[in-house]
Amino acid sequence: AVCATPTGTPRPSGLSLDGFHGPAAAGDYVVVNLTFRDGDTVLSSGKEEVIRIRPVLSFRDGKIDFAALEKHASREVMWVVHLAALTGLRKSDVLKLCWSHVHDLSIEVRTGKSKERKTAIVPIYRELREFLATIPKRSTRTLTNTEALPWKTGFDASFIKAKNKAEIDKHFHDLRGTAATRMYRAGLTVREIAQMFTWSEDRVERLLDVYVRKEDLLRDRIRRIDELETRTSSVKPAVKL
């Protein structure tokens, strides 16, 4: 294991590095002291490295820190981002969504990619319902720009500018992975997710392999290794006098 400890040069605010929380902010350069350990045994220490702190953000696993994006994006851009992450709808379908598509129990909209032959049906669960209630009804369209008009142009430029300033190395379509991960972890089947997003079941399987199952597999392996270390450390040989 590698433990990085700040040496005190420089010391801005907000560092998050391998579990350490100290005074440095995303984008800052800090000097860290690297310590290499094998369990409780220190193998080497004292090596200093200069690193740049990057924000801990992921559109893939559902652990999205929207706060970093919100610092650089308008609330209208964030409405689009949040709704995409909560529904899994494509950007074009999110932007064209009308209040008439929002029913008591579901959002139902014909998808543009299918040339409106397929309908995405997203159940309105509690978090989604609460979010929809925060959007003012300024138009027949659910989402509007800063001038309270339906989005026609300008969203892509605004989103890319904000995510670049926040140093988020992801794309808007990664929000679909966030939504699918949420649904899968909630217990929905592959078939249900495919029907909801108008995808093939094979595509959902591939997405889950990339976004969810790899992480779950790694977490399970880590858990078993940690449990072994706990068992072996608790059984210590008797000390000979």
Side-chain angles (χ1 to χ4, degrees), residues 55-59 62-70 78 168:
V56 181
L57 295 172
S58 173
F59 279 169
K63 301 174 183 177
I64 304 176
D65 182 1
F66 286 112
L69 190 60
E70 287 175 339
M78 292 307 301
I168 299 174

Side-chain angles (χ1 to χ4, degrees), residues 8-113:
T9 314
R11 300 185 67 81
S13 60
L15 169 65
S16 177
L17 176 65
D18 291 340
F20 174 82
H21 297 280
D28 289 323
Y29 290 86
V30 297
V31 178
V32 297
N33 186 291
L34 299 180
T35 301
F36 295 83
R37 296 177 179 272
D38 182 5
D40 294 330
T41 304
V42 177
L43 302 179
S44 64
S45 64
K47 182 180 180 181
E48 290 190 345
E49 294 285 350
V50 177
I51 64 170
R52 190 179 187 209
I53 305 303
R54 298 185 62 83
V56 181
L57 295 172
S58 173
F59 279 169
R60 287 190 167 189
D61 58 9
K63 301 174 183 177
I64 304 176
D65 182 1
F66 286 112
L69 190 60
E70 287 175 339
K71 292 178 181 178
H72 305 285
S74 67
R75 63 171 185 166
E76 286 79 7
V77 168
M78 292 307 301
W79 289 341
V80 181
V81 171
H82 279 293
L83 194 55
L86 291 171
T87 62
L89 292 172
R90 291 182 178 86
K91 179 177 61 180
S92 58
D93 295 327
V94 171
L95 292 176
K96 76 175 186 181
L97 193 70
C98 296
W99 287 110
S100 59
H101 295 136
V102 182
H103 305 286
D104 290 340
L105 299 177
S106 64
I107 292 175
E108 301 182 20
V109 58
R110 292 185 179 275
T111 61
K113 190 169 183 178

